[in-house]
């Protein structure tokens, strides 16, 4: 860290707000953290958010940026079927901002960490004359065998949690990562392929299809279009176009056997909406079946002019 006055106090304040955790033998305060568990396999993910590129303050608040910086990483751990355990947070703080700014960032981050019992285990703090940058790394435990993007099989159902589209109206800053849902899903069914929706349903589905060597048919009238997607709609793009193409929903997209899919719909393990939106095919193309039964090819970005 730099010699900037106040940063020692800041690190002490971070230390004080972190609760003891079973994941940690030693956390903030020494040269490195000591993790108390060393499972044979550990999930590791990292994401950096930069002011002016990924967010603006305002309209985002410092708490929301702290929340999001951790939430995107928790979503990636969930998307592997794991449980997040520890977080490492590095910040480049603008000198011109008051000390309250960093406190607010960490308040947003810590409250999400507490919600999922994730231990803030270390990081780095620097100040500069540039914009605010925050990089978070999360370590997680694969409680079950990790669920990869490559496991989709022809005949699988394609399902999604929550509702899609229009996330830029607010959800992208406030979403709750589907950490709880992924564990409950795995307790009731066997997931074949899994990922979170960060680039948009259509683009992220292509990742699963490419890595699994399969194709898909989506049912247009079953895609859960959010209220925000309806509000975002214009002449250029319909609500469905937003649900297919918009990014940053951080919902779970997964495939499983039809039998398991039916079991989930008949007996959902949580209140978060679950939708059966399509099926995996052996033919490598991606088709969208419209309500009138007509099928059209779905482009990767989900921008279909006729939608
Ligand atoms: P070093 O010079 O050894 O890297 P630092 O002064 O950077 O030590 O950090 C001191 C301690 O505070 C370390 O345990 C580090 O992990 C922790 N720390 C520093 N900044 C942060 C931060 N932004 N979030 C969490 N922990 C931090
Ligand atoms: Mg350091």
């Amino acid at each position: 860290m730099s010699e900037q006055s106040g940063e020692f106090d800041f690190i002490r304040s971070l230390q004080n707000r972190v609760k003891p955790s079973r994941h940690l033998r030693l956390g903030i305060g020494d040269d490195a953290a000591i993790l108390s568990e060393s499972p044979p396999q550990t999930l590791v993910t990292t994401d950096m958010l930069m002011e002016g590129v990924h967010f603006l303050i305002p309209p985002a608040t410092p708490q929301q940026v702290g929340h999001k910086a951790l939430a995107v990483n928790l979503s990636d751990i969930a998307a592997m079927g794991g449980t997040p355990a520890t977080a490492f947070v590095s910040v480049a703080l603008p000198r011109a901002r008051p000390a309250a700014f960093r406190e607010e960032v960490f308040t947003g981050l810590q409250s999400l960490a507490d919600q999922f019992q994730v231990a803030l285990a270390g990081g780095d703090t620097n100040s500069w004359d540039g914009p605010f940058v925050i990089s978070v790394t999360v370590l997680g435990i694969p409680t079950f065998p990790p669920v990869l993007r490559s496991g989709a099989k022809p005949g699988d159902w394609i399902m999604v949690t929550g509702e899609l589209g229009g996330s830029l109206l607010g959800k992208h800053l406030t979403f709750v990562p589907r950490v709880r849902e992924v564990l409950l899903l795995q307790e009731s069914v066997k997931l074949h392929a899994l990922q979170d929706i960060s680039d948009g349903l259509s683009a992220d589905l292509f990742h699963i299809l490419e890595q699994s060597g399969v194709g898909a048919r989506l049912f247009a009238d079953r895609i859960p279009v959010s209220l925000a997607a309806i509000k975002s709609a214009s002449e250029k793009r319909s609500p469905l176009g937003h649900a297919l193409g918009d990014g940053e929903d951080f919902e779970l997209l997964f495939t499983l056997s039809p039998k398991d899919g039916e079991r989930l719909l008949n007996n959902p393990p949580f209140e978060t909406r679950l939708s059966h939106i399509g099926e995996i095919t052996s033919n490598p193309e991606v088709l969208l079946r419209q309500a009138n039964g007509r099928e059209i090819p779905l482009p990767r970005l989900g921008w279909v002019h006729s939608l």
Side-chain angles (χ1 to χ4, degrees), residues 41-57:
Q41 296 183 15
T42 304
L43 302 170
V44 186
T45 183
T46 192
D47 255 299
M48 186 190 325
L49 299 182
M50 304 165 78
E51 185 176 7
V53 177
H54 302 99
F55 60 87
L56 294 171
I57 304 173

Side-chain angles (χ1 to χ4, degrees), residues 28 42 54 62-63 102-103 107 113 124 128 130 137 144 146 156 172 191 226 244-245 276:
I28 296 175
T42 304
H54 302 99
Q63 285 99 327
R102 61 196 186 197
E103 297 295 336
T107 297
D124 199 21
W128 70 332
T137 300
F144 300 85
D156 276 3
H172 78 112
L191 302 179
S226 70
L244 285 165
H276 168 209

Side-chain angles (χ1 to χ4, degrees), residues 112-126:
L112 180 63
D114 289 346
Q115 188 178 340
F116 291 114
Q117 282 115 49
V118 172
L120 179 58
D124 199 21
T125 305
N126 294 286

Side-chain angles (χ1 to χ4, degrees), residues 1 11 14 27-31 89 91 106 120 122-125:
M1 95 173 219
I11 289 171
L14 287 181
I28 296 175
D30 216 307
D31 298 303
V89 180
V91 287
F106 276 83
L120 179 58
D124 199 21
T125 305

Side-chain angles (χ1 to χ4, degrees), residues 134-155:
I134 179 165
S135 171
V136 178
T137 300
V138 171
L139 274 57
I141 302 162
T143 6
F144 300 85
V147 190
L148 308 183
R149 295 175 176 184
S150 52
K153 298 180 183 64

Side-chain angles (χ1 to χ4, degrees), residues 172-184:
H172 78 112
L173 291 168
T174 57
F175 71 94
V176 178
R178 300 302 188 192
V179 171
R180 203 180 131 257
E181 284 81 354
V182 87
L183 297 180
L184 293 169

